[in-house]
Amino acid sequence: MALSLTAGASLADKPSERPNIIFILTDDISPRDYALYGGKIESPVLEKMAAEGLYFETAWATPRCMPTRAMLLTGKYAFRQKVFENQVNPRGEDGRIKPLGERFPNTLGSLMTANGYRSAMVGKLQTGDVKSYGFTRWCTVDHDADKRVGKFKVFDMRHARMDEDGTIVDREHVHSTDALFEYLHRFTAEKSEDPWFVYMPMNLPHSVRNPENPTKWGPPWVPVLDEDWKKTGEMVQNDFEACVRYIDYKVGRFVEHLKKTGQLENTIIMYAGDNGTNLYGKSNPDSEKGPRIPFVVYAPGYLKPTGANPELVDLTDVIPTCVELAGGTMPKDDVFDGHSFAPLILGTPFEGREWIFSQWYGCRWLRTKQWLIDGRGRLYDCGDNRNEWVKGAYTDVTESRDERVVHVRKELEKVLEQLPAPDFNDPELAGQWKKQWLNSKKFVDPYVPPYLK
C-alpha cells in the first residue's frame, strides 16, 4: 500500500502548545487478529502508525461493550460506576441505561470541553444521551431507527442515518462508516483558535443481523478494497478481515486529511478496541482474552518512534492522559482510577503502573507485567510473554504451593481488596444480578485457593 504517514516540514505543521486529540475505539477486535501483534490480518496504516509511534503490548478494556464505554468515559472501574454488563447497570424509567453523564459530572467529553477544546463524539452511542457527556458537537448512529425485518431489528450499514448535532440526516447508499468519517473530516477542518478533541466509537467490525436473513449474525456489509487499497465499487458481508481492512483504509484517509490541512504534526491519534473478538475474547472470562485490546498511539509532532511498549495501560488511563495533554489538571473533588501515560507521548519522565484491572459481571481480572489473575480466579505466570493465544506462553500456577507463587497470590489479593467484587444484593441491581448472572449459564464462581480462605 502506497501511503505516506510522514508529514512535510511546513510551518503550519509545527506543534502548537496544545495538541488536537482523537480517540478511535473499534468494536470487537482482539490483538491476535492483527499482524502487528502476531496475528494474520495486515493493517498497513496501523502498522506504520505503531512503528512511527508506539503500541502497548498489554492494554485492557473489559470483555463487553457497555462496561468498556463506562470505564472509558468516566475513568472509573465498574465497582464505582456500576456498569457491570450490558444487562447489569443502573436504568432509567425507560428501562435503558442511565446516561453516565447524568450520574457523573466529570466525563471524557465534559473535561475536554472544560479545558477549552472543541469536543465531538462521532460514532456509536450505546450509553445514553450524548449531550449529557459534555461534548459540544456530535454525529451519532441513530440505532433507534434500525429497520425491522419480521420480529428482528436490523442494522444495515450500507445506508446511513445519523443524528448530526441534533438533526437527523438520512443518506441512502452511503456506508455508515463513510458518513461518520465525512463528519469527522468536516469538524476537524473547521477554523478555530481552539484545538479539537474527538471521541470516535466505531461500529466496525461488530457482527449484525444479516439484512437479507436476520436470523443469521455476521460481520456487516463493507466496501471491498483491491490490492492497491482502492475501492472496487463492490460490497461484501460476513467478512471479518474486510471489515478490519476497511477501518485501516478510513484511518489512513483521515491521516492524509490531517496532513493536507496542516494538522498532522499537531495531532495525537489513539486507536484501541473495546473488547476481544466475538467467539474468542468477547464475554470470555478465561485468561486475558476478554479485556485485552489493541492500543496504538501516533503523534509525529510529539512522540519519537518507539514501536512495542511494555508498559501496562487500561482504559481508565485515557481521561487523565487527555487532560494532561490538554494542559489541564484532574478535578480534586472526584475519584479517578487511571494513570496518565502522557509523559510517554511527550518524552518526559514516566513511572508506569504496577498493575491493571478489569471487571465484568462478577469477574475480576488483575495483571502485572508477569502475573495474571483471570475472571475465573486462575493465576498465571506470564513470564515475559504478552500473547495469551500462544500455546504454553502462560503457565497456570493456580494450584501451586510454591512459596513464591503463594506470596505473589497473597500480594495480588491485597490489591483486589481495594477493587471490590460487586454486591449482588445492591437494591438497585439485585433483580438484574439474579436474572442475568446468578441464575444464568454464564455464571462464574471465581476460584479461591484454600490458603486464602
Side-chain angles (χ1 to χ4, degrees), residues 64-139:
R64 200 79 154 99
C65 313
M66 284 189 183
T68 284
R69 285 157 178 75
M71 179 185 191
L72 171 66
L73 289 168
T74 66
K76 296 172 171 57
Y77 294 128
F79 69 87
R80 297 190 199 279
Q81 30 85 350
K82 300 205 294 188
V83 180
F84 293 100
E85 220 283 330
N86 289 14
Q87 281 75 43
V88 181
N89 51 71
R91 306 290 177 89
E93 293 182 0
D94 60 359
R96 298 185 178 187
I97 183 173
K98 287 183 180 178
L100 289 162
E102 294 179 5
R103 297 171 51 215
F104 300 98
N106 297 311
T107 63
L108 181 59
S110 68
L111 288 170
M112 294 307 290
T113 300
N115 276 285
Y117 274 66
R118 294 193 304 117
S119 62
M121 178 178 178
V122 182
K124 175 181 178 180
L125 182 54
Q126 201 172 20
T127 48
D129 181 8
V130 64
K131 295 185 287 296
S132 75
Y133 293 101
F135 294 102
T136 56
R137 300 276 296 279
W138 63 88
C139 176

Side-chain angles (χ1 to χ4, degrees), residues 162-220:
M162 304 292 170
D163 177 350
E164 295 189 8
D165 301 319
T167 300
I168 298 298
V169 179
D170 264 312
R171 300 175 68 187
E172 288 288 316
H173 309 299
V174 174
H175 194 271
S176 178
T177 303
D178 290 345
L180 293 174
F181 273 90
E182 287 176 15
Y183 182 94
L184 174 67
H185 285 217
R186 293 196 305 270
F187 174 76
T188 56
E190 293 174 3
K191 300 297 183 183
S192 174
E193 294 182 358
D194 297 324
W196 50 258
F197 172 80
V198 175
Y199 164 51
M200 190 175 195
M202 300 180 64
N203 283 90
L204 289 177
H206 192 295
S207 291
V208 299
R209 291 189 182 277
N210 185 322
E212 282 72 42
N213 185 2
T215 62
K216 301 293 184 181
W217 283 84

Side-chain angles (χ1 to χ4, degrees), residues 10 14 21 45 67 92 103 245 273 319 327 331 340 395 405 426 430 435:
S10 67
K14 296 298 182 183
I21 306 169
V45 173
R103 297 171 51 215
R245 283 166 54 87
I319 283 182
S340 173
T395 302
V405 172
D426 176 358
K435 178 181 179 180

Side-chain angles (χ1 to χ4, degrees), residues 128-162:
D129 181 8
V130 64
K131 295 185 287 296
S132 75
Y133 293 101
F135 294 102
T136 56
R137 300 276 296 279
W138 63 88
C139 176
T140 56
V141 180
D142 183 17
H143 283 296
D144 285 338
D146 289 351
K147 67 179 182 180
R148 285 198 172 274
V149 179
K151 64 179 181 180
F152 302 107
K153 289 193 74 174
V154 175
F155 177 41
D156 189 344
M157 292 190 71
R158 292 173 294 184
H159 314 290
R161 180 180 171 87
M162 304 292 170

